[in-house]
Amino acid sequence: MSLPFRKELEKYKNINEDEILSKLSEDELKQLEHVLDDLDPENALLPAGFRQKDQTTKPATGPFDRERLLSYLEKQALEHKDREDFVPFTGEKKGKIFIPKEKPVETHTEEKVTLDPELEEALASASDTELYDLAAVLGVHNMVNNPKFDEGGARSKDGKGIVRNVVKGEKVKPIFEEPPNPTNVEASLQRIKANDPSLIEINLNNIKNIPIPTLKEFAKALESNTHVKTFSLAATRSNDPVAIAFADMLKVNKTLKSLNVESNFITGTGILALIDALKENESLTEIKIDNQRQQLGTAVEMEIAKMLEENSKILKFGYQFTKQGPRTRVAAAITKNNDLVRKKRVEGEQQ
């Protein structure tokens, strides 16, 4: 059974609202808006512009003056008496009257020191130099050296001159820059090629203008050299091609004992080539590869540890591992190699 008011709504089902609104005049549309203003403003089904009256058509009240508005509000606040707040049923005012605390005035009282008459007589007759020496012995020279002590007007015994510092400041020792490497690159290269027996050590450290082909020539010359035992090219901007050239040299050279390639631009590829060449080298006992421009990474460090475990000749390995695993393995391998050398030396002494 349908309700009576629903029967009345049936006739509005097929009404075209757009057609009706198009026939309304401008005055009728404004009247319709005022009718809609009486509806519920919290009705979410209505458009936002129809939930309250349009108040933007009011005439302007004049230009905005911020300072005038603030002064008016301040005047109104001062003229308006605050509401007195009372405790219920008692009539007493809430809160307490604020009374600022008075800060205590600090007074310094000087302690009077009494000395024996003999000490007072000795201090009164002492000269300035003796007083300075006494201050140094008692550890008061730090106070005497303090600039604030001088500014306070420390006077000598006669009250005329300011007391001078007891301890003189040390002169600053200048630190000079490290002198450039005096090694003659071309002369050293020719001596290596000539297999000079007096040339045992080559130091090219910190010479940054050596061309890459020249460094490769050093590696090529060392292949046939039988006298050079130490070769160092740290901080020479060497790269992977140079490292690979020295790796090929290590496979052939039988004399070199120490190689230093620290602080260069060698990546993991060049370092692994050097370490892999140690399998075919029987003379090298020390190699330094630390402080490269790019970190080698965990995979390279694990390969280094594996190769060094298979090598029994390396006694010193210069590299700071970033992982605990390869660091422990390499330390154990180097310790084992040193123990073998020590054991052979002891057996040789016993025979």
Side-chain angles (χ1 to χ4, degrees):
M1 180 178 178
S2 61
L3 298 176
F5 71 93
R6 288 193 176 181
K7 291 182 180 180
E8 296 292 332
L9 296 176
E10 292 292 335
K11 59 182 179 180
Y12 299 111
K13 279 187 176 181
N14 299 323
I15 291 178
N16 190 352
E17 294 86 353
D18 296 334
E19 182 180 357
I20 296 174
L21 290 175
S22 63
K23 295 178 179 180
L24 295 177
S25 63
E26 186 176 353
D27 294 337
E28 289 175 339
L29 288 174
K30 290 184 178 179
Q31 185 179 0
L32 180 61
E33 289 181 5
H34 290 297
V35 173
L36 293 176
D37 289 341
D38 298 332
L39 298 177
D40 185 8
E42 296 182 359
N43 188 359
L45 300 177
L46 287 176
F50 291 160
R51 296 180 193 175
Q52 60 182 4
K53 293 182 180 180
D54 185 7
Q55 301 179 4
T56 60
T57 58
K58 294 170 60 177
T61 57
F64 175 69
D65 190 349
R66 182 176 181 276
E67 297 297 331
R68 185 178 177 184
L69 176 61
L70 291 177
S71 61
Y72 172 77
L73 294 176
E74 186 178 356
K75 181 181 178 182
Q76 290 291 326
L78 293 175
E79 292 178 354
H80 186 270
K81 187 179 179 180
D82 294 338
R83 182 177 64 86
E84 296 182 353
D85 197 2
F86 296 98
V87 179
F89 309 110
T90 61
E92 298 178 357
K93 288 185 178 181
K94 288 185 178 180
K96 297 180 181 180
I97 300 175
F98 174 72
I99 301 175
K101 295 182 180 180
E102 296 181 358
K103 295 183 179 180
V105 180
E106 297 181 358
T107 57
H108 298 280
T109 57
E110 296 183 358
E111 297 181 0
K112 294 183 178 180
V113 180
T114 57
L115 301 176
D116 294 336
E118 297 179 357
L119 292 176
E120 290 183 355
E121 183 180 356
L123 291 175
S125 60
S127 62
D128 291 343
T129 305
E130 293 174 344
L131 289 175
Y132 299 156
D133 295 340
L134 179 60
V137 172
L138 296 177
V140 193
H141 58 278
N142 292 330
M143 182 187 71
V144 179
N145 284 333
N146 194 341
K148 295 182 179 179
F149 181 79
D150 291 341
E151 293 172 1
R155 301 288 176 178
S156 59
K157 188 174 65 173
D158 55 0
K160 294 181 180 180
I162 297 177
V163 177
R164 296 181 179 178
N165 292 340
V166 177
V167 180
K168 295 181 179 180
E170 295 182 359
K171 292 183 179 180
V172 179
K173 297 180 180 180
I175 301 176
F176 300 99
E177 295 183 359
E178 186 177 351
N181 194 332
T183 304
N184 189 327
V185 178
E186 292 298 331
S188 299
L189 179 59
Q190 297 303 323
R191 292 177 65 185
I192 293 176
K193 290 181 178 180
N195 201 11
D196 187 354
S198 62
L199 186 63
I200 300 176
E201 180 179 356
I202 297 294
N203 181 7
L204 303 179
N205 293 347
N206 300 316
I207 304 178
K208 304 185 186 309
N209 57 353
I210 304 177
I212 298 299
T214 303
L215 293 174
K216 291 183 178 180
E217 287 186 26
F218 273 101
K220 189 67 177 177
L222 285 172
E223 292 181 1
S224 58
N225 188 280
T226 57
H227 298 286
V228 176
K229 296 183 179 180
T230 304
F231 194 92
S232 181
L233 63 158
T236 55
R237 299 183 180 179
S238 300
N239 51 13
D240 285 345
V242 176
I244 294 173
F246 274 87
D248 295 338
M249 177 271 298
L250 290 176
K251 296 177 182 179
V252 181
N253 186 279
K254 306 298 181 181
T255 310
L256 193 67
K257 294 185 177 297
S258 176
L259 178 64
N260 182 2
V261 293
E262 291 180 335
S263 304
N264 283 303
F265 300 157
I266 305 174
T267 64
T269 303
I271 295 299
L272 288 179
L274 287 171
I275 300 300
D276 187 62
L278 299 179
K279 297 178 180 179
E280 304 177 26
N281 186 281
E282 298 292 334
S283 63
L284 196 71
T285 59
E286 179 182 7
I287 183 170
K288 297 179 180 180
I289 60 172
D290 199 14
N291 194 29
Q292 302 299 327
R293 183 69 174 271
Q294 181 181 352
Q295 291 187 354
L296 301 182
T298 306
V300 176
E301 290 185 358
M302 295 298 291
E303 288 295 327
I304 291 174
K306 180 181 178 181
M307 293 178 184
L308 289 178
E309 284 177 340
E310 300 172 358
N311 186 286
S312 60
K313 300 296 182 180
I314 297 297
L315 304 179
K316 295 181 181 180
F317 186 74
Y319 177 72
Q320 184 66 34
F321 287 89
T322 58
K323 300 297 181 181
Q324 180 66 27
R327 183 191 306 122
T328 305
R329 292 171 59 185
V330 170
I334 298 299
T335 303
K336 181 190 69 174
N337 294 345
N338 282 276
D339 289 342
L340 291 175
V341 173
R342 190 180 304 107
K343 185 177 179 181
K344 291 180 180 179
R345 185 178 65 252
V346 172
E347 291 177 353
E349 292 176 354
Q350 290 179 354
Q351 292 177 358

